[in-house]
Amino acid sequence: MKDKENKKGAASGLYICQRIITILLIVGAFFPTFNPTRVAKMISSNVSLFTSAVSYNSLTSEFARAFRMNWVNESSFAVVMIASIILVIGIILLGVGACMSLGNLRMQKTGAQFTLGGSVAETLGLVVTVVSYMLVNSSTDPTKANKILPQIPTAFYGYAVLTAIMLITAIVVFISLPSVDKGEKYEMESKYKLFLMFLPFIALAFVFCYLPLYGWRYAFFDYKSGDTLSMSSFVGFKWFTYLFQNSATRTDMINTMRNTLIMSFLGVGTSWLPMIFAIFLCEMKNLRFRRFVQTFTTIPNFISWVLVYAVALAIFSTDGFINTFLKEIGVIAQNAQGKAWLMSSKHTWLKMWAWGTWKGVGWSAIIYIAGISGIDQSLYEAATVDGAGRFQKMRHITLPGLLPTFFVLLLMAIAGCLSNGLDQYLVFRNPNNMDTIRVLDLWVYDLGINGGSIPLSTVIGMAKSIVSVALLFGANSVSKALRGESIV
């Protein structure tokens, strides 16, 4: 028994090494810079190892003319994709092995098999990568070699070193682990189980929230869509200073920030509405009617803003329902043009707030309804015995019970006050309300997509993210000082 513990202890240091290498390989699979299968410089510099494994079109997107003119053999790139697939499979096996190494001896033994298999797959993938390079190199027209540019990428050697270390440690761990007692079950400590349950969400957050931050590098280059990044186009902080030095851009920024902050603080100032709505909804005694109201107010959240605008157009346009009704009752003359309720630039901020509240109040109330169901019912029974009425129970029991949830959501709303979204303002925008409806996200969209100024839009996006994080920690500090509680 003691010998087994000594062997397990000796393997623990190797496990740490394997986990670090596995994390590096997983992260590197999503970054084009670390793609070991970019065996020709003509392959797009934006193609990562993962993209090479799942999308042949992305891998060969730059080779349409080269294939057509027979500058290089297309079948060579099928081998490149096979190498990428093998490498990705190897990384997946290494990930499974690293997770299983957190368990008991039986799980560690099985995990060592996965790690060993993943290391062999990585080795095989690197070998196939070399073969693919040789095929590309041999099939390239010598007169066009300066266009195809076959190469062994620098990332290949990094992968080779990590794979060699992983293979050696996997063999050592597999040999050093003691045999498993017959009947021993797969077991893992609860803290590790919870961690592994949470791991997929960490991965999703990394892919969709942190991986896109790699695009921040465009802010330091004079980049146009379709170009490649190189040191010749590196401009440092040019676009950061341009944002403030250019008078037109500075004016647009001030106007946009005004609209963004006013609309955001209208939402923050009325963020209590879903809580009050949930309280009164739960006070309804007729269960069928309460379900109907909750369903009716929740459905708008699932309607796209395009359809919401279509409904608004049918009701509030110059020939819509409202104007037609006013003409029928004689408020507006029959031959007169209806009022431009929707297209007018008047009260744009309030109109956008009203549409947003209508669409989201029912959905936002769900979390408060869940909070109300978690309040101890004995408090209501005791209040009834003491003679408290319905409104007194709402004031002294329900409302205090929901305040912690409300403050957490309020802090998150303050942190996201620069992120109003895009869809609503894009569909409701028209030439009349352009100056009052343009928020920060819409401005970034106009600059980057419509205007083609990707570096400048990236700078604005960076600034928005940094300010939002600062607002979150600032609001959290205020909450900690006033309430003694924090969410970060």
Side-chain angles (χ1 to χ4, degrees):
M1 186 68 179
K2 187 175 181 180
D3 184 55
K4 284 187 177 183
E5 293 297 328
N6 291 335
K7 289 183 177 180
K8 287 178 65 178
S12 61
L14 297 178
Y15 281 141
I16 296 175
C17 178
Q18 290 179 351
R19 292 164 190 161
I20 293 174
I21 293 176
T22 300
I23 292 173
L24 291 176
L25 293 176
I26 291 173
V27 173
F30 293 96
F31 283 89
T33 306
F34 307 116
N35 184 2
T37 60
R38 190 175 178 237
V39 295
K41 285 190 176 181
M42 196 173 182
I43 296 176
S44 174
S45 59
N46 295 321
V47 174
S48 65
L49 174 62
F50 180 78
T51 305
S52 300
V54 300
S55 176
Y56 181 76
N57 290 334
S58 298
L59 177 65
T60 59
S61 60
E62 305 294 328
F63 287 85
R65 187 183 178 201
F67 293 154
R68 189 172 61 253
M69 304 296 291
N70 291 321
W71 293 352
V72 66
N73 192 344
E74 183 176 359
S75 61
S76 303
F77 289 87
V79 181
V80 176
M81 186 173 185
I82 291 173
S84 302
I85 293 173
I86 295 174
L87 288 171
V88 170
I89 292 174
I91 292 173
I92 293 173
L93 293 176
L94 293 177
V96 174
C99 292
M100 296 190 72
S101 68
L102 298 171
N104 63 352
L105 180 59
R106 187 174 185 84
M107 290 196 74
Q108 290 178 354
K109 196 74 174 179
T110 306
Q113 296 174 358
F114 276 100
T115 302
L116 186 60
S119 302
V120 172
E122 289 293 290
T123 305
L124 178 60
L126 293 175
V127 171
V128 177
T129 300
V130 174
V131 172
S132 67
Y133 161 73
M134 296 171 62
L135 291 174
V136 171
N137 191 37
S138 62
S139 65
T140 300
D141 186 342
T143 61
K144 302 297 181 182
N146 61 335
K147 295 183 178 294
I148 305 299
L149 295 173
Q151 65 168 2
I152 293 292
T154 305
F156 175 88
Y157 301 103
Y159 266 77
V161 171
L162 294 178
T163 299
I165 297 173
M166 182 64 79
L167 182 60
I168 294 172
T169 56
I171 294 174
V172 173
V173 169
F174 186 76
I175 295 174
S176 63
L177 283 177
S179 58
V180 181
D181 294 335
K182 187 176 181 181
E184 184 177 358
K185 297 180 179 180
Y186 291 101
E187 292 291 342
M188 183 181 293
E189 293 184 38
S190 297
K191 61 181 180 180
Y192 295 131
K193 290 180 182 178
L194 294 174
F195 171 75
L196 293 179
M197 290 173 63
F198 187 61
L199 191 60
F201 300 99
I202 297 176
L204 289 174
F206 169 77
V207 171
F208 292 104
C209 298
Y210 293 100
L211 188 61
L213 298 182
Y214 185 64
W216 278 9
R217 68 192 193 279
Y218 290 107
F220 304 95
F221 292 84
D222 195 2
Y223 176 81
K224 293 183 179 179
S225 182
D227 292 347
T228 56
L229 295 181
S230 62
M231 290 308 298
S232 61
S233 60
F234 181 78
V235 293
F237 291 95
K238 168 190 170 182
W239 295 107
F240 291 84
T241 57
Y242 177 86
L243 182 63
F244 298 98
Q245 291 178 350
N246 186 278
S247 59
T249 305
R250 189 167 59 248
T251 301
D252 288 341
M253 182 179 64
I254 294 173
N255 179 62
T256 301
M257 288 300 297
R258 180 198 63 182
N259 297 335
T260 301
L261 293 175
I262 289 176
M263 291 188 193
S264 292
F265 283 109
L266 278 174
V268 171
T270 56
S271 57
W272 49 269
L273 285 177
M275 180 176 64
I276 300 302
F277 175 75
I279 292 174
F280 281 101
L281 184 65
C282 290
E283 289 297 321
M284 292 183 180
K285 299 302 181 183
N286 191 320
L287 185 61
R288 182 175 297 180
F289 181 69
R290 185 171 72 184
R291 288 176 178 174
F292 168 77
V293 173
Q294 184 176 356
T295 303
F296 185 76
T297 54
T298 304
I299 287 176
N301 179 74
F302 302 99
I303 301 175
S304 71
W305 279 109
V306 176
L307 294 179
V308 172
Y309 180 75
V311 173
L313 190 65
I315 298 175
F316 296 104
S317 64
T318 53
D319 56 349
F321 171 78
I322 297 295
N323 283 311
T324 302
F325 176 74
L326 293 177
K327 288 180 181 181
E328 291 294 331
I329 63 176
V331 176
I332 299 177
Q334 289 291 337
N335 57 351
Q337 185 178 7
K339 292 186 177 181
W341 304 99
L342 186 63
M343 305 296 287
S344 173
S345 61
K346 296 180 179 179
H347 311 298
T348 301
W349 300 327
L350 290 176
K351 286 189 286 188
M352 292 300 99
W353 167 81
W355 283 111
T357 301
W358 167 78
K359 194 172 187 293
V361 67
W363 175 258
S364 300
I366 291 177
I367 192 170
Y368 293 109
I369 295 173
I372 292 172
S373 65
I375 297 176
D376 189 357
Q377 294 300 309
S378 63
L379 297 176
Y380 293 101
E381 295 172 0
T384 302
V385 172
D386 291 338
R390 177 179 296 184
F391 286 97
Q392 289 176 314
K393 295 177 186 177
M394 292 164 56
R395 178 184 175 184
H396 297 287
I397 299 177
T398 307
L399 191 60
L402 293 179
L403 283 181
T405 302
F406 170 74
F407 282 117
V408 170
L409 295 179
L410 179 64
L411 291 179
M412 296 177 67
I414 293 174
C417 67
L418 296 184
S419 300
N420 301 80
L422 171 68
D423 300 354
Q424 176 184 2
Y425 307 98
L426 181 62
V427 297
F428 277 92
R429 179 175 62 175
N430 61 68
N432 295 326
N433 63 13
M434 185 74 72
D435 292 335
T436 53
I437 202 173
R438 184 173 58 192
V439 293
L440 200 56
D441 290 328
L442 184 57
W443 189 36
V444 170
Y445 171 81
D446 287 336
L447 287 173
I449 304 301
N450 295 336
S453 183
I454 295 176
L456 185 58
S457 61
T458 304
V459 169
I460 298 170
M462 289 175 62
K464 188 188 80 169
S465 299
I466 294 171
V467 172
S468 296
V469 172
L471 286 173
L472 174 62
F473 282 97
N476 185 70
S477 300
V478 173
S479 173
K480 191 173 183 179
L482 297 179
R483 300 174 55 241
E485 298 180 4
S486 63
I487 62 171
V488 180

